[in-house]
C-alpha cells in the first residue's frame, strides 16, 4: 500500500520534472531561433505586461520599505527639485503641457506620466526608483548622478507636480532655472577606496559598454581593450605608470592625460574613481 | 584615396559583412606574422595567443585583437593603421610607452595580418 503510493508519487514527480525540462528546452529553442521579437514596436502581451507591472510594483514596495523619509517640507528644496526635473526627467517623462522628446516616445515600456507618480507611489518609493533606476525599462539609477538632497528635492517636486496647471509649469520652466547639480564634495569622499563599491560604479559609469572586465557581467565589447589582469599591467592606456593615483587621474580625465584618446570623460567623482581603481587593481 | 593606397597591394577584401569596415587588405602572411611576433619579442610586453612565451603584462593583452575597434585607444583598427602603429608608435602618439623596435614594413604587415586574425 505504502510502496504503491510512493511509486505513484515518484511517477508524478518524474512527469513534472520531464515537463519542466521540456518547457525550459522549448523556451530556450524559441529564444535561440530568434522567434521572440525584441522590437520596441511590439508591445508585450497583456498578461505579460500585467505580470511585469505587478512584479515591478511589489519589488519597489519591498526594497523601499525600510527607507527613512526626511520631512520633505523642511529638508527638501522644491526649487532645486524643479530644476532637476527639468534638467533630467522631462525629456523622457514630459510635464504638464510639455511633450516628451522624440527618443523617449519610442521607448518600451513607455516612461510613465509623472503627474501621476505621487498618486501611485509613496515618497520613499519615488526616492528608491529615482535613486536605483529600474532594470530593463530605460530608467537609469540617479544615485551616481545626483546627491541625496537633490533626490529628495525631486521627490518633493513630484508631489507638487499634479497641483501645477500647465500654465504655471510653463512659467516655472522659463523662469531663470536654479541649477540642479551642485559642486558639493561627494558624500562618499571621505570613505576609503572599496573594490566592491567599485564593481557597482563600473556598471553605473557604463564602463562595460567598451571594456570586458572580469567579474562584471556585460556585453562582450571590443571597443576598448579587455581589462583582464589590469592589476598586473605596467601601464595605463600605454602612457601612465599603473599606480592607484594615476588610475584615478586617468579615469577622471582621460583626455587630459592623452588628448587623442577615444576614451571619453564620463564625469566620475573622485570617490567613484578611487573605488573603480581599487576594483581594477585586484584583477590579477 | 589613391595616395593612401600607394605602396599597398590590394590582395583581397576579406569577410564582407562584419569586417567591411576594415577596408582593403595589404598583402601579408599571417603565419609569418605569428613567427615575427615571436622573433621581435612582442610577448615581453603583450599577451598574444598562439605566440610562445607571450605572457607580458606591460601592455594590454592582444587576445581577440581582430575584434578590437581601436588601436592604442585612438586609431581605427585597420590593417594600414596597425602597420603604421607597429613600425613607429611614438610617431603616432608621442606619449606612448610602446617603443619603435625597428620592425620593417613587410614584417609589420605580417604581424598586423596575424593580430587581425585573432578572434
Amino acid at each position: 500500500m505504502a510502496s504503491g503510493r510512493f511509486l505513484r508519487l515518484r511517477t508524478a514527480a518524474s512527469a513534472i520534472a520531464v515537463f519542466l525540462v521540456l518547457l525550459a528546452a522549448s523556451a530556450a529553442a524559441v529564444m535561440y531561433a530568434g522567434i521572440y521579437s525584441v522590437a520596441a514596436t511590439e508591445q508585450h502581451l497583456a498578461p505579460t505586461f500585467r505580470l511585469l507591472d505587478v512584479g515591478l510594483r511589489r519589488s519597489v514596495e519591498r526594497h523601499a520599505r525600510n527607507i527613512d523619509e526626511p520631512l520633505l517640507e523642511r529638508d527638501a528644496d522644491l526649487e532645486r527639485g524643479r530644476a532637476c526635473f527639468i534638467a533630467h526627467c522631462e525629456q523622457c517623462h514630459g510635464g504638464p503641457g510639455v511633450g516628451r522628446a522624440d527618443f523617449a516616445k519610442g521607448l518600451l515600456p513607455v516612461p510613465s506620466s509623472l503627474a501621476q507618480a505621487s498618486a501611485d507611489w509613496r515618497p520613499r518609493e519615488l526616492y528608491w526608483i529615482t535613486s536605483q533606476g529600474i532594470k530593463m525599462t530605460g530608467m537609469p539609477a540617479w544615485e551616481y548622478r545626483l546627491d541625496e538632497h537633490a533626490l529628495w528635492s525631486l521627490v518633493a517636486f513630484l508631489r507638487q507636480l499634479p497641483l501645477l496647471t500647465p500654465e504655471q509649469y510653463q512659467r516655472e520652466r522659463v523662469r531663470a532655472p536654479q541649477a540642479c547639480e551642485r559642486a558639493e564634495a561627494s558624500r562618499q569622499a571621505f570613505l576609503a577606496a572599496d573594490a566592491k563599491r567599485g564593481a557597482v560604479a563600473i556598471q553605473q559609469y557604463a564602463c562595460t559598454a567598451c571594456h570586458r572586465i572580469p567579474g562584471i557581467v556585460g556585453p562582450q565589447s571590443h571597443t576598448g581593450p579587455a581589462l583582464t589582469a589590469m592589476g598586473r599591467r605596467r601601464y595605463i592606456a600605454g602612457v601612465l605608470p599603473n599606480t592607484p593615483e594615476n588610475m584615478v587621474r586617468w579615469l577622471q580625465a582621460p583626455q587630459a592625460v592623452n588628448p587623442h584618446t577615444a576614451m571619453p570623460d564620463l564625469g566620475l567623482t573622485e570617490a567613484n574613481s578611487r573605488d573603480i581603481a581599487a576594483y581594477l587593481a585586484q584583477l590579477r | 584615396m589613391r595616395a593612401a593606397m600607394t605602396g599597398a597591394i590590394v590582395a583581397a577584401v576579406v569577410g564582407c559583412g562584419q569586417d567591411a569596415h576594415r577596408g582593403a587588405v595589404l598583402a601579408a602572411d599571417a603565419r609569418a606574422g605569428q613567427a615575427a611576433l615571436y622573433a621581435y619579442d612582442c610577448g615581453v610586453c603583450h599577451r598574444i595567443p598562439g605566440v610562445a612565451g607571450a605572457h607580458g603584462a606591460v601592455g594590454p593583452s592582444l587576445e581577440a585583437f581582430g575584434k578590437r575597434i581601436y588601436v592604442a585607444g585612438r586609431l581605427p583598427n585597420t590593417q594600414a593603421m596597425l602597420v603604421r602603429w607597429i613600425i613607429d608608435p611614438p610617431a603616432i602618439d608621442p606619449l606612448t610607452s610602446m617603443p619603435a623596435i625597428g620592425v620593417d614594413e613587410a614584417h609589420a604587415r605580417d604581424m598586423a595580418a596575424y593580430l587581425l586574425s585573432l578572434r
Side-chain angles (χ1 to χ4, degrees), chain A residues 222 233-235 238 257-258 260 262, chain B residues 57 59 67 69 73-74 93 97:
Chain A
H222 294 270
R233 201 78 71 71
R234 184 144 169 67
Y235 290 101
V257 174
N258 191 340
H260 301 289
Chain B
K67 290 186 181 173
I69 305 303
R74 55 182 295 191
D93 184 353
S97 30

Side-chain angles (χ1 to χ4, degrees), chain A:
Chain A
M1 225 13 222
S3 88
R5 191 185 302 155
F6 175 71
L7 262 177
R8 275 203 303 279
L9 267 175
R10 215 178 60 172
T11 317
S14 354
I16 290 171
V18 169
F19 174 73
L20 288 178
V21 167
L22 283 177
L23 197 69
S26 42
V30 167
M31 282 296 182
Y32 194 74
I35 294 167
Y36 178 77
S37 169
V38 294
T41 47
E42 291 191 34
Q43 180 57 280
H44 296 293
L45 297 173
T48 317
F49 188 91
R50 180 94 190 105
L51 181 73
L52 293 172
D53 203 42
V54 170
L56 187 157
R57 168 157 288 280
R58 301 294 298 147
S59 173
V60 172
E61 284 170 357
R62 184 185 179 94
H63 286 87
R65 67 177 184 243
N66 292 328
I67 294 174
D68 289 327
E69 291 172 3
L71 192 57
L72 291 178
E73 292 73 18
R74 187 191 63 205
D75 298 330
D77 175 353
L78 269 178
E79 296 272 303
R80 189 176 185 204
R82 188 195 61 199
C84 291
F85 183 89
I86 292 167
H88 301 304
C89 308
E90 193 195 87
Q91 294 84 345
C92 283
H93 293 280
V98 177
R100 43 200 73 193
D102 278 347
F103 61 77
K105 290 172 191 153
L107 284 173
L108 184 77
V110 64
S112 59
S113 155
L114 293 183
Q116 203 183 309
S118 61
D120 288 346
W121 303 99
R122 299 178 182 91
R124 63 167 186 266
E125 291 161 354
L126 290 173
Y127 167 87
W128 188 87
I129 292 170
T130 314
S131 134
Q132 301 302 303
I134 297 178
K135 204 179 275 179
M136 291 179 75
T137 65
M139 173 69 187
W142 287 94
E143 185 188 12
Y144 283 78
R145 260 50 73 178
L146 297 175
D147 60 57
E148 201 79 339
H149 179 258
L151 289 169
W152 283 112
S153 296
L154 251 175
V155 172
F157 181 72
L158 289 178
R159 302 218 301 164
Q160 288 295 310
L161 197 57
L163 307 175
L164 295 177
T165 65
E167 291 77 19
Q168 282 172 323
Y169 180 71
Q170 290 286 9
R171 269 204 303 278
E172 300 207 352
R173 278 179 92 221
V174 284
R175 248 174 43 194
Q178 192 200 333
C180 171
E181 277 75 17
R182 281 187 190 165
E184 285 166 354
S186 159
R187 65 203 152 98
Q188 297 177 341
F190 59 95
L191 297 174
D194 177 78
K196 223 181 244 171
R197 276 202 312 269
V200 180
I202 281 173
Q203 279 170 340
Q204 283 304 311
Y205 284 99
C207 308
T208 55
C210 293
H211 298 285
R212 281 165 297 140
I213 307 170
I216 312 282
V217 176
Q220 292 297 300
S221 177
H222 294 270
T223 302
L227 304 185
T228 319
M230 196 60 219
R232 292 199 295 129
R233 201 78 71 71
R234 184 144 169 67
Y235 290 101
I236 298 164
V239 168
L240 293 174
N242 189 6
T243 64
E245 296 72 30
N246 279 342
M247 183 58 92
V248 169
R249 203 180 130 203
W250 168 253
L251 289 172
Q252 287 202 271
Q255 285 152 352
V257 174
N258 191 340
H260 301 289
T261 182
M263 170 139 155
D265 183 340
L266 288 150
L268 273 82
T269 64
E270 184 173 349
N272 291 151
S273 310
R274 286 202 278 140
D275 291 342
I276 293 177
Y279 182 86
L280 296 176
Q282 45 95 48
L283 296 175
R284 305 231 139 223

Side-chain angles (χ1 to χ4, degrees), chain B residues 15-118:
Chain B
C16 350
Q18 293 185 349
D19 286 327
H21 69 281
R22 301 266 186 251
V25 171
L26 309 176
D29 177 352
R31 249 265 179 103
Q34 190 176 9
L37 287 162
Y38 177 86
Y40 281 95
D41 276 336
C42 305
V44 171
C45 291
H46 296 286
R47 173 176 287 274
I48 313 171
V51 176
H55 302 299
V58 178
S61 162
L62 304 185
E63 283 161 300
F65 197 86
K67 290 186 181 173
R68 194 78 74 73
I69 305 303
Y70 294 105
V71 183
R74 55 182 295 191
L75 297 174
N77 189 13
T78 61
Q79 193 187 11
M81 290 287 195
L82 189 51
V83 167
R84 272 180 59 200
W85 174 255
I86 292 171
I87 292 173
D88 194 356
I92 291 166
D93 184 353
L95 298 172
T96 186
S97 30
M98 174 153 158
I101 54 171
V103 180
D104 65 42
E105 189 176 336
H107 282 147
R109 276 191 209 179
D110 293 343
M111 289 176 181
Y114 179 73
L115 292 175
L116 290 173
S117 76
L118 296 175

